[in-house]
Amino acid sequence: MAASLQNKTVLVVGRGSGLARAVVDAAVAAGARAVAASRDRSTLEMEYKGTDVITKRVDLTDEDSIAALAEDLGSVDHVVSVASARARGKISELKPEAIVLSFHTKVVGPIMLAKHFAPKMPKDGSFVLFSGVAALEPDPGYLGVAATNGSVNTVVRSLAVELAPIRVNAISPGDIDTGAWDSLGEQKKAEMFARLSKKNPSRRVGTTEDIAEAVVFAMTNTFMTGVSLAVDGGQPLV
């Protein structure tokens, strides 16, 4: 059964652009009250100026910061964590600090979000975390990313059991045009996207809207929990 986001409160942790912004916009379009939180609240305030989106500060590497946000907001209906700190690089280049930061941001931080927000949430609430295609597609230079994303897939299954009936799911994106490649310039970006598009059965790069729609689905489908939902164009298949 699908639930409604009308008049529900959705907390989205992440930057004020890219995937996080698309999730906030989709939640608002579905009737939710949105709260955006990140370490850089001043940037969030600029990004959401002129909107009804509430901005807050939180640091996913600091449990006290997470606890303070939970105390400040009180009960919310859904929590979405989009934040990441990717530990990219081949094994010869990887630094322990980068791997630890990646885990703190995508694994430990979201677990602490669950610890402090779940006791305040309604039984029909949910958490949506972010995994990624690297967990299923081994690729040199992405070991740290793959390990982190694979851990997220495990975390959502465990949390789904422990927090039941609150639901816990993950979204696992493939190659998505988040704006991160804009610095390449229009031509080089188009060439890269053409190469990436040949690597998946959908024959295109995903959009932030593709991911945001999946997040809304995860929040509103009341019979789905413990799932890592692949929105990757079938990329691991080829």
Side-chain angles (χ1 to χ4, degrees), residues 28-161:
V28 170
R33 295 183 294 266
V35 180
S38 78
R39 285 185 297 179
D40 187 356
R41 186 181 180 184
S42 61
T43 297
L44 286 182
E45 289 175 341
M46 289 188 292
E47 293 288 346
Y48 291 108
K49 185 177 181 179
T51 74
D52 292 327
V53 176
I54 299 168
T55 59
K56 297 288 183 179
R57 185 188 182 279
V58 70
D59 182 350
L60 289 183
T61 68
D62 180 0
E63 183 181 1
D64 289 341
S65 173
I66 294 169
L69 179 63
E71 183 67 24
D72 180 24
L73 293 179
S75 178
V76 301
D77 297 284
H78 303 280
V79 176
V80 183
S81 183
V82 189
S84 66
R86 296 172 182 169
R88 289 176 176 168
K90 293 184 178 180
I91 186 68
S92 60
E93 307 163 347
L94 275 176
K95 301 292 186 183
E97 297 81 5
I99 299 172
V100 169
L101 179 60
S102 179
F103 268 79
H104 265 295
T105 306
K106 292 195 72 172
V107 181
V108 180
I111 291 173
M112 293 300 101
L113 285 171
K115 174 181 177 179
H116 291 284
F117 277 91
K120 302 173 182 291
M121 291 170 66
K123 292 182 179 180
D124 61 351
S126 77
F127 290 87
V128 182
L129 310 185
F130 266 67
S131 174
V133 71
L136 302 174
E137 187 182 48
D139 193 13
Y142 286 84
L143 169 61
V145 180
T148 304
N149 289 341
S151 296
V152 174
N153 291 340
T154 299
V155 165
V156 297
R157 292 171 59 83
S158 295
L159 285 179
V161 172

Side-chain angles (χ1 to χ4, degrees), residues 11 13 102 112 128 160 187 211 214 234:
L11 168 63
V13 180
S102 179
M112 293 300 101
V128 182
Q187 182 176 344
I211 304 304

Side-chain angles (χ1 to χ4, degrees), residues 157-196:
R157 292 171 59 83
S158 295
L159 285 179
V161 172
E162 185 164 346
L163 300 183
I166 292 173
R167 295 175 298 105
V168 186
N169 294 292
I171 304 300
S172 179
D175 292 321
I176 306 297
D177 182 7
T178 63
W181 289 295
D182 290 354
S183 60
L184 294 175
E186 189 173 335
Q187 182 176 344
K188 288 187 177 180
K189 178 180 174 180
E191 291 171 353
M192 172 180 278
F193 280 10
R195 291 194 300 271
L196 293 174

